[in-house]
Amino acid sequence: MAGNTIQDKYKAARQDHLFAFFPSLSDAERNAFTKQLASIDVDRVNKIYQKAIDADREISNPNRVADPIEPLPVETCESVVNNPASEARWRQAGLDAIARGEVGVLLMAGGQGTRLGSTAPKGCYDIGLPSHKSLFQYQAERIARLQTVAETECKKRKGSVIIPWYVMTSGPTRMATEEFFAQNKHFGLDPKNIIIFEQGTLPCLTMDGKIMLETRSRVAVAPDGNGGLYAATRASLSPTDERTVLSDLSTRGVLYVHAYCVDNCLVRVADPVFLGYCISKQADCAAKVVPKSSPSESVGVVARRGDKFSVVEYSEITEEQAGLRNSKTGQLMFNAANIANHFYTTAFLRSVESFENDLAFHIARKKIPTINLETGETIKPSKPNGMKLEMFVFDVFPFTKRFAVLEVARNEEFSPLKNAPGTGSDDAGTSRRDLLAQHKRFLEKADARVADGVEIELSPLVTYAGEGLQSIARKTFTKSGHVENVEELDALL
């Protein structure tokens, strides 16, 4: 598309300020800038901005009559806590689906480890375990182990069970993620079954909706939020690969998808219990949750907003509502803490396109480096000067026809990595602590004893969720270390 045609298009959209420096650009800069501008649907950007602003004003309107917020209906939510019979039944149903090749996993891994003091993708991060394995490696090895468990328990030929892994990156993390996987030989998985793709981006905007320049010849852009995964599943995997995630799922015959965030060291990837529960409920979309730690915990909860399921932010729940308890169980009425751990049927993922225009983008007001349009100088703001527009992965919940929620134990399945080392909360130290504490519980549940002060790391290749440890019964471990197979545990006696 010729530059003047693009300029006309942007002028019609009242975004032609972007061409302020166009006459002074080199030919190479003009070509690159024109290519970027051509890739942006400027009319869609304007519509998204207007819809986001309208939604923001509506929420802020003191006269607004909001839909009532209500706890989850009892029939929607079940728990694995103190429910061994149901857990075993759901696990078997999930393993059967895995063994039939009906399950895939979708990892949201677009974030960088900036807050952790790293410029690498967050999945490359080492939380300080004895093995020094990254989050990516832990999750890959859980997939490998689960494939083996499904083959063994469902009597399938060795190497016949495959759980494809769809890894969603962002523009800044894609290349580094691909390189990290290649350098580590895909952590023992077949690279044909690891599909790396990229979430979309949107231009950064001024508070009045003008697209911002990062440099004289480049628009400032940002990832479109973890909710961008839905559109990303429909996009070509790369400029040279016309396949999409959805087409690949279809080709493989995958019916069910487990989606999760990279920063949870305890995540049970393709959890057969969760899968089996959702399949038994005939859910098209579902959420795994953990109980709130206290009424005042600053966490969104899965609840009902009017007659639809939703994630309700803690700021939207009154102190009185947050403290309400079930008269029979004593549990908080608003107790289902959201942990971005979801189930979808592939049919539901395909259906998102039909209602995606009804989803409003959320406004994140940020400090965004930009260019002074008059002087061309770089502006590094000290306070928010613009906005990034993003969708959240849970924005689709109100559109589900059959929704389900499964409560799991926080100490077994949720330990997020959010903060810099030494923070003492949701940091590398707490992730390490929680994972090693779980491994100690695995050993003790297998009727072994772990001496005080001893830390033992069990490779995910040894056990996925505590299974396969029968041979260590009645043994006492007195030495710390990490093991890659059960036999190596004898060296720690």
Side-chain angles (χ1 to χ4, degrees), residues 59 65 70 80 89 95 156 170 202 207 299 347 351 442 469:
I59 291 171
V65 180
E70 299 174 346
V80 300
R89 184 175 72 254
L95 283 178
K156 295 288 184 177
S170 61
L202 282 170
M207 298 303 184
V299 62
S351 76
F442 286 167
L469 299 174

Side-chain angles (χ1 to χ4, degrees), residues 17 65 73 92 112 313-314 351 433:
H17 61 281
V65 180
Q92 188 58 57
Q112 292 174 290
E313 297 299 336
Y314 64 91
S351 76
R433 177 202 69 198

Side-chain angles (χ1 to χ4, degrees), residues 178-304:
E178 290 175 334
E179 290 174 352
F180 191 73
F181 272 69
Q183 290 164 2
N184 288 278
K185 299 180 179 179
H186 298 87
F187 312 107
L189 297 175
D190 188 335
K192 294 196 301 291
N193 300 320
I194 301 175
I195 297 89
I196 296 176
F197 65 111
E198 190 175 322
Q199 72 183 100
T201 60
L202 282 170
C204 301
L205 305 175
T206 63
M207 298 303 184
D208 57 356
K210 296 298 184 183
I211 296 175
M212 301 175 75
L213 285 172
E214 180 182 355
T215 69
R216 293 173 178 231
S217 59
R218 186 167 63 248
V219 168
V221 298
D224 54 6
N226 56 20
L229 79 86
Y230 303 109
T233 62
R234 303 191 302 269
S236 297
L237 296 180
S238 74
T240 58
D241 190 343
E242 293 184 356
R243 289 180 304 155
T244 68
V245 169
L246 288 178
S247 71
D248 193 78
L249 289 167
S250 179
T251 299
R252 294 173 183 268
V254 172
L255 301 180
Y256 313 109
V257 173
H258 176 223
Y260 66 95
C261 285
V262 72
D263 61 5
N264 177 13
C265 70
L266 295 181
V267 65
R268 295 191 177 180
V269 184
D271 177 17
V273 176
F274 186 37
L275 289 163
Y277 167 73
C278 296
I279 293 168
S280 71
K281 286 282 191 179
Q282 297 185 311
D284 53 15
C285 177
K288 183 182 282 192
V289 300
V290 297
K292 286 183 68 174
S293 60
S294 70
S296 60
E297 183 182 10
S298 299
V299 62
V301 295
V302 183
R304 295 272 285 186

